[in-house]
Amino acid sequence: MCSNLLWKANKRGETLLHMAARHGHANVADHLLQVCKIIKADDQELGITATRRMLQMTSHGAKDTALHEAVHYNNLDVVQLLTKEDPSLPYDANKAGETPPYLAAERGYKRVLEEILITCYSPADHGPYDRSALHTSVLRNDIDKLIALSG
């Protein structure tokens, strides 16, 4: 695979990894990340590996990462793959102010939220209006998520 195609985005700024994450194609997402490791398109000056660069890429309008996409569509296999690839990666909020854990809590995706909280070292969980995933769980009266978030 030509390395330039890995970073090529469509008109909405979505990479191949964004699309694989949205559609739940964990095998394709895994292959893309493995190709990144092979081509070693690392930016040594910035200290960013090729896989980290790919995981951090955001779409133009919504500013979503591939993890945002996987969470939006409740694709647990892809969430597991992406979070395990780099558990220390801080996933920032998208244009709407939503982090992946916040999205999972807001949409009621318990398994996705648990995966992020268990795997990521320090996941940001804030959302719009200064609400956290915990706030969202309280508003939704979701006891299971409250236990997961506080444990």
Side-chain angles (χ1 to χ4, degrees), residues 59-150:
S59 59
H60 293 316
K63 300 294 183 202
D64 285 332
T65 62
L67 184 58
H68 281 95
E69 291 290 342
V71 172
H72 273 294
Y73 294 96
N74 199 21
N75 292 321
L76 180 61
D77 291 344
V78 180
V79 169
Q80 290 171 328
L81 172 75
L82 298 177
T83 56
K84 287 179 181 165
E85 184 64 39
D86 191 345
S88 66
L89 186 66
Y91 287 98
D92 294 328
N94 60 14
K95 188 175 181 179
E98 304 160 324
T99 59
Y102 178 85
L103 279 171
E106 181 184 56
R107 292 171 182 240
Y109 300 154
K110 179 183 173 189
R111 299 263 339 266
V112 168
L113 178 60
E114 288 173 349
E115 184 64 33
I116 294 169
L117 295 176
I118 290 168
T119 307
C120 296
Y121 296 151
S122 59
D125 72 340
H126 55 279
Y129 312 110
D130 292 324
R131 288 186 188 152
S132 69
L134 187 58
H135 290 114
T136 301
S137 297
V138 169
L139 292 172
R140 293 175 56 88
N141 195 28
D142 194 333
I143 300 301
D144 290 338
K145 273 195 240 84
L146 286 171
I147 293 168
L149 287 166
S150 62

